[in-house]
């Protein structure tokens, strides 16, 4: 699964990943961001996710663009054993695209175009 982050340069974009637990036991996951641009992505609510039986939950993933080039990383959700129950390891590809640039400031300059 690929999650796309689209926005302006230096803007923060937040996406939600919905996780469902169809089993009758509690599942617990540890979230890890890996890859070339993993430092540009973050998990503001922490790295541990607990999903109650027959429930669903969402985790927020934030991305702040620093460069014009597309950023890439991988979100890994590794199961932690709770009462002998393990869930499957989940992976999500994270990709970004800068659609526009907002000027930080506008400067006016005057100078002669030609001097003898």
């Amino acid at each position: 699964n690929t999650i796309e982050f689209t926005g302006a340069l230096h803007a923060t974009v937040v996406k939600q990943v919905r996780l469902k637990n169809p089993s009758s036991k509690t599942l617990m996951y540890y979230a890890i961001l890996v890859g070339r641009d993993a430092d540009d992505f973050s998990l503001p609510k922490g790295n541990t996710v607990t999903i109650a039986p027959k429930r669903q939950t969402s985790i927020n993933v934030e991305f702040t663009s620093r460069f014009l080039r597309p950023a890439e990383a991988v979100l890994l959700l590794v199961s932690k054993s709770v009462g002998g129950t393990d869930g499957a390891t989940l992976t999500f590809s994270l990709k970004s695209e800068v659609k526009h640039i907002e000027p930080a400031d506008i400067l006016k300059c005057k100078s002669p175009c030609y001097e003898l």
Side-chain angles (χ1 to χ4, degrees):
N1 295 344
T2 300
I3 303 167
E4 305 226 356
F5 295 80
T6 304
L9 184 64
H10 300 297
T12 299
V13 180
V14 179
K15 293 284 184 161
Q16 285 190 330
V17 178
R18 182 174 300 143
L19 303 171
K20 294 181 182 180
N21 180 2
S23 76
S24 58
K25 307 250 179 162
T26 299
L27 292 177
M28 192 172 205
Y29 284 97
Y30 182 71
I32 307 164
L33 292 164
V34 295
R36 178 185 72 187
D37 302 306
D39 291 341
D40 295 331
F41 295 89
S42 65
L43 302 164
K45 293 184 180 176
N47 292 7
T48 304
V49 181
T50 303
I51 312 167
K54 306 287 185 194
R55 298 284 180 154
Q56 64 183 14
T57 190
S58 295
I59 59 171
N60 290 342
V61 181
E62 285 186 359
F63 169 74
T64 303
S65 60
R66 297 184 299 146
F67 304 107
L68 288 174
R69 68 167 171 75
E72 295 181 1
V74 174
L75 171 64
L76 281 173
L77 293 164
V78 181
S79 177
K80 294 171 86 176
S81 183
V82 177
T85 303
D86 286 330
T89 299
L90 306 172
T91 61
F92 297 91
S93 176
L94 309 176
K95 296 187 179 195
S96 76
E97 184 179 3
V98 174
K99 287 288 189 178
H100 62 280
I101 303 169
E102 296 290 328
D105 199 4
I106 297 174
L107 302 173
K108 291 184 180 184
C109 300
K110 287 186 180 184
S111 68
C113 290
Y114 176 77
E115 278 186 34
L116 286 174

